Amino acid sequence: MTSILAAGLVGSAVVLLVAVWLVRVYNRLVRMRNQVDASWSQIDVQLTRRHDLIPSLVETVKGYASHERGTLDAVVAARGTAITHTGGDAGRADAENALSRALGRLVALAEAYPQLRASENFAALQSDLATTEDKIAYSRQFMTYAVQQYNTAIETFPTNLVAGLLGYQRRELFAATESDRGVITVGF
């Protein structure tokens, strides 16, 4: 009787240990799968941020260059008209006034939007973009690590038995596409 009781206790202990082991393996696999999903989500967040920053960066450069170009072109044109004007004093005065107005806009531009300020704005956007690119790179590295850990767990014995029974599938490592490997050009 005691040996039957002892065998029953040992059998119950083995079943309990196997059950505890299965629960731990299952919970570990769930945590790892969720970490892979969270890693991709973080990459997606950073990619969205990059997509939001790029148009702002491009528009800032275009706006600054366009504004500067327009003001300088106006000054150059007004100066050219003032120098080459041959239509009398009244016409010349008008041409000089036009040049003064253009120079006033240039001075106002320099006071209101000094180059340092404009370049700080551009530098801030550029810095945000560089930071975002660094975060994307880090997130991709973390995802690669999380996927590697997950794939290793579901492919190694004895965890692979539980993973196979529960339908856990291998996840693909992040790989850059051919277009990602190419040189990026931004036109203005």
Side-chain angles (χ1 to χ4, degrees):
M1 211 32 131
T2 357
S3 64
I4 294 175
L5 184 61
L9 286 174
V10 170
S12 296
V14 169
V15 169
L16 182 63
L17 287 174
V18 169
V20 168
W21 176 78
L22 286 172
V23 168
R24 289 188 59 152
V25 167
Y26 174 78
N27 288 340
R28 180 173 172 243
L29 290 172
V30 168
R31 279 192 306 275
M32 294 175 107
R33 181 183 60 201
N34 289 342
Q35 186 61 57
V36 170
D37 292 341
S39 298
W40 175 248
S41 180
Q42 186 58 37
I43 290 172
D44 195 40
V45 165
Q46 296 306 326
L47 290 173
T48 300
R49 178 168 167 71
R50 176 173 61 180
H51 295 159
D52 292 345
L53 279 173
I54 289 173
S56 296
L57 181 65
V58 170
E59 286 303 312
T60 297
V61 171
K62 281 172 72 174
Y64 182 73
S66 171
H67 195 169
E68 180 183 36
R69 196 174 320 128
T71 301
L72 289 175
D73 287 348
V75 170
V76 169
R79 180 180 177 269
T81 301
I83 289 174
T84 59
H85 189 274
T86 57
D89 291 337
R92 183 169 181 129
D94 289 342
E96 291 295 336
N97 286 337
L99 178 57
S100 293
R101 285 190 300 275
L103 286 172
R105 286 193 305 272
L106 182 63
V107 170
L109 176 68
E111 290 174 0
Y113 305 101
Q115 177 132 0
L116 180 60
R117 190 175 197 190
S119 60
E120 281 178 4
N121 186 27
F122 175 71
L125 285 168
Q126 192 175 25
S127 175
D128 284 349
L129 186 60
T131 300
T132 300
E133 292 296 333
D134 288 344
K135 287 179 180 179
I136 290 169
Y138 174 77
S139 296
R140 286 176 175 168
Q141 289 172 348
F142 187 77
M143 182 180 174
T144 298
Y145 175 76
V147 169
Q148 176 197 13
Q149 295 298 307
Y150 172 81
N151 287 344
T152 301
I154 67 169
E155 293 174 357
T156 55
F157 183 81
T159 309
N160 64 338
L161 300 173
V162 176
L165 288 172
L166 297 174
Y168 280 81
Q169 299 291 320
R170 179 178 171 75
R171 296 287 185 96
E172 293 301 314
L173 294 169
F174 176 81
T177 63
E178 283 301 316
S179 63
D180 290 338
R181 291 184 185 113
V183 176
I184 297 173
T185 57
V186 177
F188 297 109

